[in-house]
Amino acid sequence: MSYQDHISKTQALISSHNGTWDGINAESVARMRLQNRFKTGLDIAKYTAGIMRRDMAAYDADPANYTQSLGCWHGFIGQQKMISIKKHFGSTERRYLYLSGWMVAALRSDFGPLPDQSMHEKTSVPALIEELYTFLRQADARELGMMFRDLDAARAAGDQIKAKQLMAAIDGYQTHVVPIIADIDAGFGNAEATYLLAKKMIEAGACALQIENQVSDEKQCGHQDGKVTVPHEDFLAKVRACRYAFLELGVEDGIIVTRTDSLGAGLTKQIAVSNAPGDIGDQYNSFLDCEEIDPATARNGDVILNRDGKLLRPKRLPSNLFQFREGTGADRCVLDCITSLQHGADLLWIETEKPHIEQIAGMVDRIREVVPNAKLVYNNSPSFNWTLNFRQQVYDAWVAAGKDVSAYDRARLMSVDYDGTDLGNEADERIRTFQRDAAKRAGIFHHLITLPTYHTAALSTDNLAKEYFGEAGMLGYVKNVQRAEIRQGIACVKHQNMSGSDIGDDHKEYFAGEAALKAGGAHNTMNQFAA
């Protein structure tokens, strides 16, 4: 519905109340409605699911249409990210938000900082989703509010052309609300617990849930040791739980991202149930590290597998966990991915130990032999040392090509001594094009960085503290923060406006007319930033 249609319909409604609503201004109501386009989290989930589905189809047509996101640990961070994207690129298309379970654990738990082991409160995840969308909706209200003020100014100046342009801009307004891919970890318990949490996350606005195949009570960060996977049927029960949650709530095109940690997980807590040779349980068990035994040598409490007429004893650790054979990680990843896609997953996530395109592509090629349109979400993780990894990749490529590498020490390629060298420059170029190249070669539809704003917050605070508490004093803030904000056009330099002061003034005027006591008068110090 257009801006003018909102006004006309509201005016008709006001008129129908025989003068008792004459104190209500129809245009003010229209503005408030447009500033609050999404009434519930489910409205957001349905809207953003449609965006992701269209983006997935566009990627299938051309892998240059890959998507991106940054992990955000607070609503304000997500809001400023999307404001910046609109400012620099004019559109939010193919740019999402990522909600990292790691950052929830480290920054948003009532217990204080925690490791990424699913120890934080379940409710902290949907609470952050709701918070992120609260801030994105407020960004809409703020930006539209400024457009409404410009419209009033154009009308007051008699500039009909400007007023018409602003009306068109209001009707074509692009929201800051974008999809969130939200981390549900390993489901926080059994399938019922996963379903209950999934509902809360969807009701808060999540259109995409990312779930991993680790054991809930042994869950580890994907880039740490000690990961333990579960049999496929156990994992698929949780995938179905997520789908049921989407369908119950009417989000029929919700997205499920299934993550496999099998590349780095050498352990399982359970031996899968198998009813016939070659079934999915038997395939899972086939990767177990076993020794053939004579029945006469079986020990008390042994678990014995019968395969091809042989009796096999899986190697069991003192922790009561079973061990997979070394070197089977890639094969298990491929099986995990194919099985997930054949049982309702929409996107895949393969957690790797390094950002190597050909390693990822080697697995994706095998997956696509079975599921041709398989697509990945990939973690461009801060847990990787990107500089060292890519310099070593270039070094190894040069060695393979017979190029002279005598000027470089592979073990210390992180050194600043190699900045600006031919090898360092080539590595940086590979990093720059990594997302584009991996989208084309390795089937990566969505590139994200899980923890970037965790690191930027620490880095910027360190820089400010060093200057402000040192010799620079107040100049450390003014030169490196405020002056830079003003000159780069950072919206929150006018922090009263960003926090909603102008929106509040508009409402005061709607409610009280000329009697409104507004904050944005001549003595508001924010007027110093008008230019």
Side-chain angles (χ1 to χ4, degrees):
M1 189 186 302
S2 71
Y3 182 46
Q4 188 57 55
D5 286 342
H6 273 292
I7 296 172
S8 300
K9 287 181 178 295
T10 305
Q11 186 57 59
L13 176 63
I14 292 169
S15 299
S16 72
H17 284 265
N18 301 317
T20 60
W21 282 20
D22 284 358
I24 304 297
N25 180 275
E27 187 162 14
S28 298
V29 173
R31 292 180 175 187
M32 295 174 78
R33 285 179 174 173
L34 291 172
Q35 287 173 301
N36 185 27
R37 172 179 171 182
F38 302 98
K39 306 301 185 291
T40 69
L42 279 178
D43 290 341
I44 292 172
K46 292 173 182 177
Y47 168 75
T48 53
I51 292 174
M52 278 196 72
R53 291 291 178 180
R54 290 190 292 274
D55 286 348
M56 289 161 67
Y59 174 83
D60 287 340
D62 182 354
N65 295 318
Y66 63 90
T67 57
Q68 299 168 291
S69 66
L70 297 174
C72 299
W73 55 272
H74 192 280
F76 177 73
I77 300 295
Q79 177 198 66
Q80 293 305 301
K81 172 189 149 183
M82 297 316 302
I83 288 174
S84 294
I85 286 170
K86 285 192 75 174
K87 179 182 75 173
H88 291 298
F89 305 104
S91 171
T92 62
E93 290 180 6
R94 302 201 305 274
R95 281 107 177 182
Y96 304 166
L97 296 182
Y98 179 67
L99 186 155
S100 160
W102 193 102
M103 284 208 286
V104 172
L107 298 173
R108 301 303 302 265
S109 170
D110 287 344
F111 293 112
L114 294 171
D116 183 21
Q117 296 173 353
S118 290
M119 294 189 290
H120 53 279
E121 312 88 338
K122 295 179 186 180
T123 52
S124 59
V125 182
L128 179 53
I129 296 169
E130 183 176 6
E131 176 182 292
L132 284 161
Y133 280 128
T134 296
F135 274 79
L136 294 184
R137 291 163 65 197
Q138 193 262 4
D140 283 357
R142 169 188 168 273
E143 190 170 48
L144 282 164
M146 293 190 294
M147 294 169 74
F148 296 147
R149 289 179 174 218
D150 289 344
L151 176 60
D152 290 341
R155 287 170 172 171
D159 190 340
Q160 295 183 0
I161 294 175
K162 180 68 172 177
K164 188 175 181 179
Q165 290 172 340
L166 283 163
M167 291 278 281
I170 291 165
D171 286 341
Y173 181 77
Q174 185 184 54
T175 176
H176 292 84
V177 170
V178 296
I180 287 178
I181 298 175
D183 188 357
I184 198 170
D185 279 12
F188 287 86
N190 61 15
E192 176 69 9
T194 302
Y195 154 76
L196 293 171
L197 178 56
K199 280 183 62 177
K200 287 291 185 184
M201 293 169 70
I202 297 162
E203 287 169 340
C207 71
L209 304 179
Q210 169 221 324
I211 187 165
E212 61 204 60
N213 69 336
Q214 290 192 50
V215 176
S216 290
D217 58 353
E218 299 285 353
K219 184 259 189 296
Q220 294 277 23
C221 172
H223 292 280
Q224 292 184 318
D225 206 355
K227 295 185 289 295
V228 182
T229 63
V230 297
H232 295 93
E233 286 296 348
D234 295 52
F235 182 60
L236 294 176
K238 293 185 177 182
V239 173
R240 286 190 289 269
C242 291
R243 183 63 68 199
Y244 271 107
F246 274 124
L247 293 175
E248 177 183 342
L249 295 171
V251 186
E252 296 182 1
D253 52 358
I255 291 93
I256 298 174
V257 183
T258 52
R259 170 177 141 181
T260 174
D261 281 281
S262 289
L263 199 61
L267 304 169
T268 183
K269 196 169 187 177
Q270 300 166 251
I271 292 176
V273 173
S274 174
N275 297 310
D279 65 14
I280 194 63
D282 188 48
Q283 292 180 66
Y284 186 81
N285 294 338
S286 71
F287 294 112
L288 292 169
D289 191 359
C290 300
E291 56 184 346
E292 187 176 353
I293 66 166
D294 185 312
T297 65
R299 299 188 297 259
N300 184 56
D302 270 352
V303 173
I304 307 297
L305 296 179
N306 181 355
R307 178 175 296 124
D308 299 327
K310 297 177 181 179
L311 295 182
L312 304 176
R313 177 168 53 208
K315 292 182 181 178
R316 184 160 55 179
L317 305 180
S319 60
N320 203 31
L321 298 171
F322 297 94
Q323 186 172 294
F324 290 115
R325 295 193 315 277
E326 287 191 17
T328 62
D331 291 339
R332 286 184 281 124
C333 276
V334 170
L335 179 61
D336 293 344
C337 292
I338 292 171
T339 303
S340 291
L341 291 173
Q342 290 176 334
H343 292 83
D346 300 292
L347 295 168
L348 304 170
W349 174 315
I350 299 176
E351 195 76 334
T352 66
E353 81 286 359
K354 59 182 180 290
H356 194 292
I357 291 175
E358 285 306 315
Q359 179 198 32
I360 305 162
M363 291 182 281
V364 172
D365 287 346
R366 294 170 62 189
I367 296 164
R368 285 184 161 180
E369 290 175 5
V370 181
V371 186
N373 69 337
K375 293 180 283 296
L376 268 66
V377 172
Y378 187 71
N379 178 9
N380 293 219
S381 177
S383 293
F384 303 143
N385 184 331
W386 285 77
T387 301
L388 181 61
N389 265 291
F390 276 82
R391 287 180 179 181
Q392 289 180 340
Q393 287 180 38
V394 172
Y395 181 98
D396 293 342
W398 283 12
V399 169
K403 194 169 182 177
D404 181 17
V405 293
S406 59
Y408 303 97
D409 180 350
R410 190 181 189 280
R412 56 183 298 273
L413 286 174
M414 183 65 198
S415 171
V416 67
D417 296 342
Y418 299 120
D419 291 0
T421 63
D422 289 345
L423 185 146
N425 291 338
E426 183 173 330
D428 282 354
E429 179 62 12
R430 289 193 184 197
I431 293 170
R432 187 186 72 81
T433 64
F434 174 80
Q435 295 188 342
R436 181 193 69 196
D437 297 341
K440 183 177 181 179
R441 171 70 185 95
I444 297 176
F445 159 73
H446 186 78
H447 283 278
L448 62 93
I449 308 178
T450 42
L451 320 175
T453 53
Y454 176 91
H455 292 281
T456 54
L459 180 62
S460 60
T461 301
D462 180 79
N463 290 333
L464 175 59
K466 177 180 66 176
E467 296 292 323
Y468 177 74
F469 292 103
E471 288 298 315
M474 191 58 193
L475 183 61
Y477 173 78
V478 172
K479 182 178 179 181
N480 298 319
V481 180
Q482 189 181 76
R483 192 177 297 168
E485 282 183 303
I486 294 169
R487 291 176 176 173
Q488 292 180 40
I490 304 299
C492 68
V493 69
K494 298 176 71 171
H495 48 260
Q496 305 286 15
N497 167 269
M498 183 57 64
S499 70
S501 179
D502 289 347
I503 297 172
D505 275 0
D506 290 340
H507 291 174
K508 289 175 185 178
E509 188 171 6
Y510 298 165
F511 305 154
E514 294 181 358
L517 182 63
K518 297 195 287 186
H523 299 293
N524 188 321
T525 59
M526 287 291 101
N527 293 331
Q528 297 172 22
F529 301 96

